[in-house]
Amino acid sequence: MKKNRKNLALLLLAASLLAGCAGQSNSQSSQSSQAKSEKKAESKASSKSAAKSAASSAVSSSAVSSTKSSSSQASSKSAAKSAASSAVSSTKSSSSRASSKSAASSSQRADANRMGTLTSQLRVKLPGMLLPAADGLGQGSSNLNIRYTSSSSQNVVYYSVGNSPLALNDSRIASEKPYAVLTEKKNVADASSLINYQEPKTGLPAVKIAGNVTGTEEGAAGSTYLQFNQGQWSFVVRASNVQGQKPLPTAQKLLALYQQYGLPDTAAKSSVQVDVGESLGSLNTVITWAKGSSVYQLKAHSTETAFKMLKSLN
């Protein structure tokens, strides 16, 4: 009896142990299954997250690409507009320059026509007299005015610039200061007495004008005279000592103008006399020469103007 109880107790203990092991196995199996489920859930969540991230990245990339494309298109449009604007501006500028050149050319033609028209009228009034075709002006040609006087012994032509263009010999021109005066003395028996040519001086201080051209200098009556000779022409420059003037710069300019423009052909010895200083109405340049039986003299306020006028003489 006791032995049976002992066996029963052992059986119960063994059953209890088996039940515990089965519980633990079931618990472990349940835990393992739960872990697998959690991993699957995490995997799915990770996949979804990756998909969302990829989708977001794709959307972002597309947006950036679209933005860049829009920016590129805007930039292209801006460049096209800029190029078109530049082309229009260039066309306008070219048109403006062409218009300015055309206007300047038209103005120059009008100025030349005025001198030509007045000179043609003078040739009718003063037949046989040498006259310049150019007015010698740098500006004011559109308001060029001319008057003249004539007698059996001489013709005198006055060139001036007024407030408006006037007809040849209009009485109002007499009140304008001439910038040049051309005189022809006719049938002259002794031209030398009118021309005042100066023979080269000796025994005076030498002054180099330019290149191989040398002149002489002397003082008299508060002035300094610088003289040089070229061919049939004598050149004398007078400077005022009182005003502190120097003759050399003017003599150098005078020589340069002679070399550039030349002077009228003359068989007789002729002269150029210049007082230093130029001002309207001063007529400080005096050029005198002989042509046939006539002696011509041009007085001008500007030495360059005088040379330009004589260059066109015919």
Side-chain angles (χ1 to χ4, degrees):
M1 187 71 176
K2 288 181 181 180
K3 187 176 181 179
N4 289 334
R5 289 180 180 176
K6 186 177 182 180
N7 290 335
L8 181 62
L10 290 172
L11 288 172
L12 289 172
L13 178 62
S16 177
L17 289 172
L18 289 172
C21 289
Q24 288 179 355
S25 176
N26 288 336
S27 177
Q28 289 176 354
S29 177
S30 177
Q31 289 176 356
S32 175
S33 177
Q34 183 177 357
K36 287 181 179 180
S37 296
E38 289 177 356
K39 285 183 179 180
K40 286 183 179 180
E42 287 178 0
S43 178
K44 287 182 180 180
S46 177
S47 296
K48 287 182 180 180
S49 177
K52 287 182 180 180
S53 177
S56 176
S57 177
V59 170
S60 177
S61 176
S62 176
V64 169
S65 176
S66 176
T67 301
K68 287 184 178 178
S69 177
S70 298
S71 177
S72 177
Q73 289 175 356
S75 178
S76 296
K77 288 181 180 179
S78 177
K81 287 182 179 179
S82 178
S85 177
S86 178
V88 170
S89 177
S90 177
T91 300
K92 287 182 178 179
S93 178
S94 297
S95 176
S96 177
R97 287 196 297 268
S99 177
S100 297
K101 287 182 179 179
S102 177
S105 178
S106 177
S107 177
Q108 289 173 355
R109 286 196 300 272
D111 294 346
N113 287 341
R114 177 157 181 77
M115 179 62 176
T117 299
L118 293 174
T119 302
S120 295
Q121 295 172 6
L122 269 178
R123 294 192 189 284
V124 175
K125 303 294 184 180
L126 307 173
M129 181 180 180
L130 294 174
L131 295 169
D135 59 28
L137 294 171
Q139 59 183 4
S141 296
S142 59
N143 288 333
L144 170 70
N145 291 319
I146 298 177
R147 68 183 181 91
Y148 71 93
T149 61
S150 181
S151 68
S152 59
S153 61
Q154 71 175 18
N155 298 321
V156 184
V157 182
Y158 302 85
Y159 297 84
S160 60
V161 174
N163 295 321
S164 61
L166 301 172
L168 178 68
N169 247 23
D170 188 293
S171 60
R172 289 171 289 178
I173 301 175
S175 62
E176 298 175 354
K177 287 185 178 182
Y179 70 83
V181 179
L182 178 62
T183 302
E184 177 195 17
K185 292 187 179 295
K186 298 180 281 187
N187 303 314
V188 176
D190 182 12
S192 61
S193 63
L194 298 174
I195 292 176
N196 195 30
Y197 172 83
Q198 300 292 310
E199 294 288 349
K201 299 291 194 299
T202 58
L204 293 173
V207 177
K208 182 177 180 179
I209 309 299
N212 60 353
V213 179
T214 302
T216 57
E217 188 176 86
E218 65 178 325
S223 298
T224 299
Y225 295 84
L226 179 55
Q227 177 186 333
F228 63 95
N229 292 61
Q230 294 284 286
Q232 292 284 83
W233 293 86
S234 67
F235 299 81
V236 178
V237 176
R238 185 188 74 85
S240 170
N241 296 336
V242 176
Q243 297 180 35
Q245 296 173 342
K246 302 295 181 182
L248 182 57
T250 300
Q252 291 171 331
K253 177 183 177 181
L254 180 56
L255 176 60
L257 289 171
Y258 170 68
Q259 293 173 339
Q260 179 179 358
Y261 295 102
L263 284 168
D265 293 333
T266 176
K269 293 179 178 180
S270 303
S271 69
V272 178
Q273 294 174 297
V274 178
D275 285 354
V276 175
E278 297 180 352
S279 60
L280 181 61
S282 63
L283 305 179
N284 282 347
T285 295
V286 181
I287 302 174
T288 313
W289 74 100
K291 184 70 174 179
S293 62
S294 295
V295 172
Y296 285 86
Q297 183 179 82
L298 177 64
K299 294 181 178 180
H301 83 281
S302 163
T303 305
E304 184 170 3
T305 294
F307 273 85
K308 288 180 177 179
M309 294 179 75
L310 293 182
K311 177 69 175 179
S312 67
L313 199 68
N314 62 70

